Amino acid sequence: MGTATFWWRARSISVGVGSDWRLYEARIQKRGIVVSTRRRSSSLPTLIVSSMPYEKELAAAKKAATLAARLCQKVQKALLQSDVHSKSDKSPVTVADYGSQALISFILERELPSEPFSIVAEEDSGDLRKESGQDTLKRITELVNDTLASEGSNSFSILTTDDVLTAIDNGKSEGGSVGLHWVLDPIDGTKGFVRGDQYAIALGLLHEGKVVLGVLACPNLPLASIGSNQQHSSNEVGCLFFAKVGDGTYMQALGGSTQTRVHVCDIDNPEEASFFESFEAAHSSHDLSSSIAEKLGVKAPPVRIDSQAKYGALSRGDGAIYLRFPHKGYREKIWDHAAGSIVVTEAGGIVTDAAGNPLDFSKGKFLDVVSGIIVTNQKLMPSLLRAVKEALNEKASSL
């Protein structure tokens, strides 16, 4: 039997001719890859692959995250303008959270119909299916349909409440080390969302347990740097960061078309570094971060912002270090770091746990990390790891 050769990143794979190679051709085309067939002889067809991996998935993810950001912006605007909203009323953020998840699930499934569909996400529809959740479900459905209509395409049919419930429940996947799994935080930084501050729509894709692409939509993050005192002529707000493995990290205006490749800063002197940490003290130990900064000789005060917008800001060099040390007993979820981690690493940075181990996204919904998560550039990582180890040892000895 003859063979067919698939050229893929300078590697060849031999498969049988006839129905076998046609099956492989069909499988490759399902991945959104352009395939042409050339026959060297009557028994030796050659398939030439002419597209980059995950291109179609990235386009779908950018579209989904951008539309979800539009939905969230609408809800946040109404929330901030409301005179009757109280801090105990969580309904607006609930509507935005569920609406974002439903919308992203719907777009991804629609744009990638030939792929097995799996999302690991934060929400499920249990509360919305109860009698007490019916009004909220109707508001979510209206909001999703309004957002789809604003996309300007007539190809979307009106979604029913059952469609929305189904889309939300697509997020029940457990993830793991086999196959393709989307990883979604529909609103990362809900407290920032409620305050009118930073939040992000964070969408990543796992393939065989590895993060292969990530998109961060940050509706309130300025396009200009937030980490320097330089004067900028643009006050435009709203960023979309995106990256896929081996292809770098890019930023563009939310909903815009012009994209710019970004890189982490190249600072090698810790005294010149600035760092990010969570706005909420409940999310990370500010005292521990302060101790580490002191050991490094960092002089600038920390920049405290909500959500994975920190990953985006660090990827373009706004700051040099991101420290996250959750309180004892807290388990990190993969949707809090999947998209952000590849955005930083493809921009030249490093993301590890506090012991310097790479993050492992292959074990389901949770990350098993040692003590915390640290993010910086390659030049600062050795000194940062030493400072972290010293600070953690001092903390342990004081208990």
Side-chain angles (χ1 to χ4, degrees), residues 9 51-59 62 211-214 241-251 259-263 342-348:
R9 287 189 170 184
S51 181
M52 294 296 290
Y54 312 115
E55 198 71 33
K56 190 174 182 181
E57 288 85 352
L58 180 60
K62 288 172 64 179
V211 185
V212 295
L213 71 81
F241 297 91
F242 53 95
K244 63 186 179 73
V245 64
D247 198 39
T249 297
Y250 297 83
M251 182 189 77
Q259 61 188 46
T260 304
R261 187 163 185 172
V262 297
H263 302 274
I342 192 170
V343 162
V344 166
T345 56
E346 284 296 318

Side-chain angles (χ1 to χ4, degrees), residues 132-394:
S132 59
Q134 293 305 297
D135 287 343
T136 301
L137 175 59
K138 289 178 183 177
R139 289 168 60 196
I140 295 166
T141 305
E142 290 173 2
L143 188 61
V144 170
N145 281 317
D146 287 347
T147 305
L148 289 173
S150 72
E151 197 264 343
S153 171
N154 296 323
S155 60
F156 295 110
S157 57
I158 300 297
L159 301 185
T160 66
T161 53
D162 284 341
D163 293 331
V164 169
L165 291 171
T166 299
I168 292 169
D169 282 339
N170 280 335
K172 288 182 176 180
S173 172
E174 294 293 323
S177 61
V178 178
L180 288 167
H181 304 283
W182 292 98
V183 181
L184 170 66
D185 195 332
I187 296 183
D188 185 32
T190 52
K191 291 186 178 180
F193 179 84
V194 172
R195 288 197 313 270
D197 290 337
Q198 297 301 329
Y199 66 100
I201 294 90
L203 179 61
L205 179 64
L206 301 183
H207 189 193
E208 310 302 333
K210 305 293 185 182
V211 185
V212 295
L213 71 81
V215 176
L216 291 176
C218 306
N220 290 337
L221 189 67
L223 280 173
S225 172
I226 62 171
S228 71
N229 295 320
Q230 299 176 11
Q231 296 298 314
H232 299 276
S233 58
S234 173
N235 294 319
E236 189 173 356
V237 173
C239 300
L240 187 74
F241 297 91
F242 53 95
K244 63 186 179 73
V245 64
D247 198 39
T249 297
Y250 297 83
M251 182 189 77
Q252 66 185 51
L254 196 57
S257 57
T258 303
Q259 61 188 46
T260 304
R261 187 163 185 172
V262 297
H263 302 274
V264 297
C265 73
D266 61 357
I267 291 173
D268 58 4
N269 183 356
E271 292 185 8
E272 299 174 5
S274 60
F275 67 95
F276 296 105
E277 63 183 5
S278 300
F279 187 94
E280 298 287 337
H283 294 166
S284 183
S285 172
H286 289 172
D287 289 343
L288 185 56
S289 296
S290 179
S291 173
I292 293 166
E294 184 177 346
K295 293 180 185 304
L296 287 169
V298 173
K299 294 179 171 57
V303 178
R304 291 175 178 164
I305 61 175
D306 302 280
S307 82
Q308 288 177 70
K310 293 185 285 292
Y311 278 111
L314 194 143
S315 76
R316 67 184 185 186
D318 289 8
I321 300 169
Y322 165 33
L323 303 173
R324 179 180 171 95
F325 294 97
H327 296 287
K328 188 175 181 180
Y330 180 82
R331 295 185 72 189
E332 294 281 6
K333 287 90 170 178
I334 61 173
W335 52 70
D336 287 325
H337 301 281
S341 65
I342 192 170
V343 162
V344 166
T345 56
E346 284 296 318
I350 304 178
V351 183
T352 73
D353 68 13
N357 304 310
L359 305 186
D360 185 353
F361 292 91
S362 69
K363 296 181 178 179
K365 292 184 176 181
F366 296 97
L367 289 171
D368 293 326
V369 298
V370 176
S371 301
I373 292 175
I374 58 178
V375 185
T376 190
N377 65 28
Q378 297 187 33
K379 295 177 181 178
L380 289 172
M381 183 57 86
S383 56
L384 178 57
L385 281 172
R386 287 194 296 270
V388 168
K389 182 178 180 179
E390 187 178 339
L392 287 172
N393 287 339
E394 288 178 1

Side-chain angles (χ1 to χ4, degrees), residues 43-113:
S43 62
L44 188 61
T46 299
L47 299 184
I48 307 300
V49 180
S50 59
S51 181
M52 294 296 290
Y54 312 115
E55 198 71 33
K56 190 174 182 181
E57 288 85 352
L58 180 60
K62 288 172 64 179
K63 181 176 184 178
T66 300
L67 282 173
R70 191 178 300 170
L71 179 151
C72 292
Q73 285 174 306
K74 185 175 182 179
V75 176
Q76 190 185 56
K77 182 179 179 181
L79 170 66
L80 297 175
Q81 291 176 344
S82 173
D83 293 330
V84 298
H85 173 70
S86 67
K87 289 185 179 180
S88 60
D89 178 15
K90 296 182 179 179
S91 59
V93 71
T94 299
V95 168
D97 215 24
Y98 281 119
S100 174
Q101 182 162 317
L103 187 57
I104 287 174
S105 171
F106 174 76
I107 293 293
L108 291 178
E109 193 167 26
R110 180 183 181 276
E111 296 289 311
L112 306 166

